């Protein structure tokens, strides 16, 4: 890649969806309609928007969206019973519990109740372990999206230095594992990392997963680095300072229109793959 590339998430997402359309049609001919169940607990407006976007994206592709909205006051046990009902429903192929749930609920316990076969959002510890060991079926969707973008644009990974800034269970840790499985040399940085810019100055691939707007500065980067910005902060602002990173990078994801749209496509892809397993 000699010229500067804007890694266009809309384009990648469109490509993934085109492929999925054909797979959904094939499933339909076999009498199966993929179905994603989404569970929203409470009325947090951002969470409600995310769930609505995911449901709408399903429906546009012919995937059923079973939307469950539970009162904010429900107990962990009731939430788990709802999840178990969905585990037992053979017409449901994927289950998404929208994060975060209200503070009195044990979110980890609820995530763990999701059947591994239906964990299309990659939130169970079993799914994470399988991803880390290299045979995970449904890695969590944002890490999967980052790898999808890397592959769409043929970005070399093997032998490269990858620096992931952030180590959350849904993002930083699993994307570090996916890059390591592809033979990158991975450094995972976090809030206690000393001299972050020193690490970044050696990175061929940078994943920004910090949750802080405009945090990563272009001056910290190596000339020609590939920047994948998973950040999504209020006002559509990424975790990398776009203008300065653009100057240094050989390729960069914009925010919005980078990792975000591909993340939703990964959820659809995993749901379709789960439905396909029922007819194989
Ligand atoms: P998170 O759970 O808050 O984790 C943030 C990570 O950044 C933590 O590991 C934290 O370190 C690290 N960090 C904080 N300050 C740092 C610093 N000064 N230097 C280095 N590392 C630092 O966030 P998340 O859920 O992973 O999300 C990260 C970003 O991705 C957010 O902007 C979020 O909106 C976005 N996101 C996007 C999508 C999408 O679909 N595009 C999906 C999910 C999340 P410690 O572990 O030491 O605290």
């Amino acid at each position: 890649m000699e010229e500067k590339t804007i890694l266009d998430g809309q384009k990648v997402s469109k490509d993934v969806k085109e492929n999925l359309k054909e797979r959904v049609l094939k499933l339909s001919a076999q009498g199966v309609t993929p179905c994603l169940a989404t569970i929203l607990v409470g009325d947090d407006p951002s969470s409600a928007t995310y769930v609505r976007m995911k449901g709408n994206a399903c429906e546009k592709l012919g995937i059923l969206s079973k939307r469950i909205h539970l009162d904010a006051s429900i107990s962990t046990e009731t939430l788990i019973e709802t999840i178990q009902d969905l585990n037992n429903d053979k017409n449901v192929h994927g289950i998404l519990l929208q994060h975060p749930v209200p503070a009195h609920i044990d979110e980890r316990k609820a995530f763990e109740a999701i059947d591994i076969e239906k964990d299309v959002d990659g939130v169970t510890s079993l799914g994470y372990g399988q991803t880390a060991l290299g045979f995970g079926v449904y890695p969590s969707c944002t890490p999967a999206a980052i790898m999808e973008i890397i592959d769409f644009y043929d970005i070399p990974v093997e032998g490269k230095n990858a620096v992931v800034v952030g180590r959350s269970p849904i993002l930083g840790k699993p994307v570090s594992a996916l890059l390591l499985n592809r033979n990158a040399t991975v450094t995972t940085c976090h809030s206690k990392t000393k001299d972050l810019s020193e690490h970044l100055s050696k990175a061929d691939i940078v994943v920004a997963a910090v949750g802080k707007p405009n945090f990563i500065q272009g001056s910290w980067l190596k000339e020609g680095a590939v920047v994948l910005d998973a950040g999504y902060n209020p006002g559509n602002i990424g975790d990398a300072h776009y203008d300065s990173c653009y100057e240094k990078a050989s390729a960069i994801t914009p925010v919005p229109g980078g990792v975000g749209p591909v993340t939703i496509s990964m959820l659809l892809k995993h749901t379709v793959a789960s439905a396909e397993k029922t007819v194989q």
Side-chain angles (χ1 to χ4, degrees), residues 247-262:
E247 288 305 318
K248 276 286 192 66
S250 59
I252 185 166
T253 53
V255 177
V259 175
V262 189

PDB file of all heavy atoms in Angstrom, residues 247-262:
ATOM      1  N   GLU A 247      -2.189  12.133   8.747  1.00  0.00           N
ATOM      2  CA  GLU A 247      -0.922  12.614   8.172  1.00  0.00           C
ATOM      3  C   GLU A 247       0.158  11.538   8.215  1.00  0.00           C
ATOM      4  O   GLU A 247       0.933  11.382   7.284  1.00  0.00           O
ATOM      5  CB  GLU A 247      -0.413  13.850   8.949  1.00  0.00           C
ATOM      6  CG  GLU A 247      -1.210  15.106   8.697  1.00  0.00           C
ATOM      7  CD  GLU A 247      -1.291  15.448   7.205  1.00  0.00           C
ATOM      8  OE1 GLU A 247      -0.271  15.320   6.507  1.00  0.00           O
ATOM      9  OE2 GLU A 247      -2.391  15.817   6.735  1.00  0.00           O
ATOM     10  N   LYS A 248       0.210  10.775   9.320  1.00  0.00           N
ATOM     11  CA  LYS A 248       1.274   9.789   9.507  1.00  0.00           C
ATOM     12  C   LYS A 248       0.934   8.418   8.914  1.00  0.00           C
ATOM     13  O   LYS A 248       1.819   7.667   8.494  1.00  0.00           O
ATOM     14  CB  LYS A 248       1.510   9.584  11.013  1.00  0.00           C
ATOM     15  CG  LYS A 248       2.437  10.581  11.659  1.00  0.00           C
ATOM     16  CD  LYS A 248       3.874  10.301  11.268  1.00  0.00           C
ATOM     17  CE  LYS A 248       4.925  11.027  12.059  1.00  0.00           C
ATOM     18  NZ  LYS A 248       5.011  10.642  13.465  1.00  0.00           N
ATOM     19  N   ALA A 249      -0.360   8.097   8.884  1.00  0.00           N
ATOM     20  CA  ALA A 249      -0.767   6.721   8.564  1.00  0.00           C
ATOM     21  C   ALA A 249      -0.686   6.425   7.070  1.00  0.00           C
ATOM     22  O   ALA A 249      -0.793   7.328   6.238  1.00  0.00           O
ATOM     23  CB  ALA A 249      -2.199   6.499   9.052  1.00  0.00           C
ATOM     24  N   SER A 250      -0.533   5.133   6.743  1.00  0.00           N
ATOM     25  CA  SER A 250      -0.690   4.723   5.346  1.00  0.00           C
ATOM     26  C   SER A 250      -2.152   4.360   5.091  1.00  0.00           C
ATOM     27  O   SER A 250      -2.626   4.400   3.962  1.00  0.00           O
ATOM     28  CB  SER A 250       0.206   3.524   5.035  1.00  0.00           C
ATOM     29  OG  SER A 250      -0.129   2.443   5.876  1.00  0.00           O
ATOM     30  N   ALA A 251      -2.850   3.987   6.171  1.00  0.00           N
ATOM     31  CA  ALA A 251      -4.267   3.635   6.048  1.00  0.00           C
ATOM     32  C   ALA A 251      -4.934   3.918   7.388  1.00  0.00           C
ATOM     33  O   ALA A 251      -4.332   3.703   8.451  1.00  0.00           O
ATOM     34  CB  ALA A 251      -4.411   2.156   5.689  1.00  0.00           C
ATOM     35  N   ILE A 252      -6.187   4.361   7.335  1.00  0.00           N
ATOM     36  CA  ILE A 252      -6.872   4.741   8.586  1.00  0.00           C
ATOM     37  C   ILE A 252      -8.383   4.587   8.426  1.00  0.00           C
ATOM     38  O   ILE A 252      -8.924   4.829   7.345  1.00  0.00           O
ATOM     39  CB  ILE A 252      -6.485   6.197   8.985  1.00  0.00           C
ATOM     40  CG1 ILE A 252      -7.079   6.580  10.344  1.00  0.00           C
ATOM     41  CG2 ILE A 252      -6.860   7.213   7.918  1.00  0.00           C
ATOM     42  CD1 ILE A 252      -6.460   7.853  10.953  1.00  0.00           C
ATOM     43  N   THR A 253      -9.040   4.156   9.503  1.00  0.00           N
ATOM     44  CA  THR A 253     -10.506   4.107   9.490  1.00  0.00           C
ATOM     45  C   THR A 253     -11.050   5.457   9.950  1.00  0.00           C
ATOM     46  O   THR A 253     -10.590   5.993  10.957  1.00  0.00           O
ATOM     47  CB  THR A 253     -11.048   3.029  10.453  1.00  0.00           C
ATOM     48  OG1 THR A 253     -10.472   3.244  11.746  1.00  0.00           O
ATOM     49  CG2 THR A 253     -10.755   1.627   9.977  1.00  0.00           C
ATOM     50  N   PRO A 254     -12.033   6.002   9.241  1.00  0.00           N
ATOM     51  CA  PRO A 254     -12.656   7.239   9.736  1.00  0.00           C
ATOM     52  C   PRO A 254     -13.650   6.913  10.863  1.00  0.00           C
ATOM     53  O   PRO A 254     -14.039   5.768  11.041  1.00  0.00           O
ATOM     54  CB  PRO A 254     -13.411   7.748   8.502  1.00  0.00           C
ATOM     55  CG  PRO A 254     -13.706   6.528   7.692  1.00  0.00           C
ATOM     56  CD  PRO A 254     -12.622   5.521   7.989  1.00  0.00           C
ATOM     57  N   VAL A 255     -14.036   7.927  11.603  1.00  0.00           N
ATOM     58  CA  VAL A 255     -15.134   7.800  12.568  1.00  0.00           C
ATOM     59  C   VAL A 255     -16.044   8.999  12.355  1.00  0.00           C
ATOM     60  O   VAL A 255     -15.570  10.136  12.450  1.00  0.00           O
ATOM     61  CB  VAL A 255     -14.616   7.806  14.031  1.00  0.00           C
ATOM     62  CG1 VAL A 255     -15.788   7.745  15.012  1.00  0.00           C
ATOM     63  CG2 VAL A 255     -13.661   6.661  14.283  1.00  0.00           C
ATOM     64  N   PRO A 256     -17.303   8.794  12.001  1.00  0.00           N
ATOM     65  CA  PRO A 256     -17.972   7.505  11.791  1.00  0.00           C
ATOM     66  C   PRO A 256     -17.626   6.926  10.414  1.00  0.00           C
ATOM     67  O   PRO A 256     -16.912   7.562   9.631  1.00  0.00           O
ATOM     68  CB  PRO A 256     -19.455   7.899  11.851  1.00  0.00           C
ATOM     69  CG  PRO A 256     -19.490   9.315  11.367  1.00  0.00           C
ATOM     70  CD  PRO A 256     -18.201   9.940  11.817  1.00  0.00           C
ATOM     71  N   GLY A 257     -18.138   5.734  10.156  1.00  0.00           N
ATOM     72  CA  GLY A 257     -17.982   5.125   8.828  1.00  0.00           C
ATOM     73  C   GLY A 257     -16.799   4.187   8.722  1.00  0.00           C
ATOM     74  O   GLY A 257     -16.417   3.787   7.626  1.00  0.00           O
ATOM     75  N   GLY A 258     -16.197   3.844   9.860  1.00  0.00           N
ATOM     76  CA  GLY A 258     -15.065   2.914   9.841  1.00  0.00           C
ATOM     77  C   GLY A 258     -15.454   1.573  10.445  1.00  0.00           C
ATOM     78  O   GLY A 258     -16.163   0.776   9.824  1.00  0.00           O
ATOM     79  N   VAL A 259     -15.015   1.372  11.683  1.00  0.00           N
ATOM     80  CA  VAL A 259     -15.241   0.082  12.347  1.00  0.00           C
ATOM     81  C   VAL A 259     -16.733  -0.149  12.663  1.00  0.00           C
ATOM     82  O   VAL A 259     -17.237  -1.268  12.555  1.00  0.00           O
ATOM     83  CB  VAL A 259     -14.383   0.007  13.644  1.00  0.00           C
ATOM     84  CG1 VAL A 259     -14.686  -1.254  14.434  1.00  0.00           C
ATOM     85  CG2 VAL A 259     -12.891   0.088  13.303  1.00  0.00           C
ATOM     86  N   GLY A 260     -17.435   0.926  13.016  1.00  0.00           N
ATOM     87  CA  GLY A 260     -18.831   0.815  13.463  1.00  0.00           C
ATOM     88  C   GLY A 260     -19.751   0.032  12.530  1.00  0.00           C
ATOM     89  O   GLY A 260     -20.367  -0.960  12.949  1.00  0.00           O
ATOM     90  N   PRO A 261     -19.872   0.435  11.251  1.00  0.00           N
ATOM     91  CA  PRO A 261     -20.805  -0.274  10.359  1.00  0.00           C
ATOM     92  C   PRO A 261     -20.438  -1.749  10.172  1.00  0.00           C
ATOM     93  O   PRO A 261     -21.316  -2.589  10.002  1.00  0.00           O
ATOM     94  CB  PRO A 261     -20.665   0.466   9.027  1.00  0.00           C
ATOM     95  CG  PRO A 261     -19.864   1.675   9.259  1.00  0.00           C
ATOM     96  CD  PRO A 261     -19.238   1.588  10.610  1.00  0.00           C
ATOM     97  N   VAL A 262     -19.151  -2.047  10.227  1.00  0.00           N
ATOM     98  CA  VAL A 262     -18.731  -3.438  10.024  1.00  0.00           C
ATOM     99  C   VAL A 262     -19.088  -4.283  11.258  1.00  0.00           C
ATOM    100  O   VAL A 262     -19.404  -5.465  11.146  1.00  0.00           O
ATOM    101  CB  VAL A 262     -17.217  -3.527   9.702  1.00  0.00           C
ATOM    102  CG1 VAL A 262     -16.833  -4.935   9.286  1.00  0.00           C
ATOM    103  CG2 VAL A 262     -16.837  -2.539   8.606  1.00  0.00           C
TER     104      VAL A 262
END
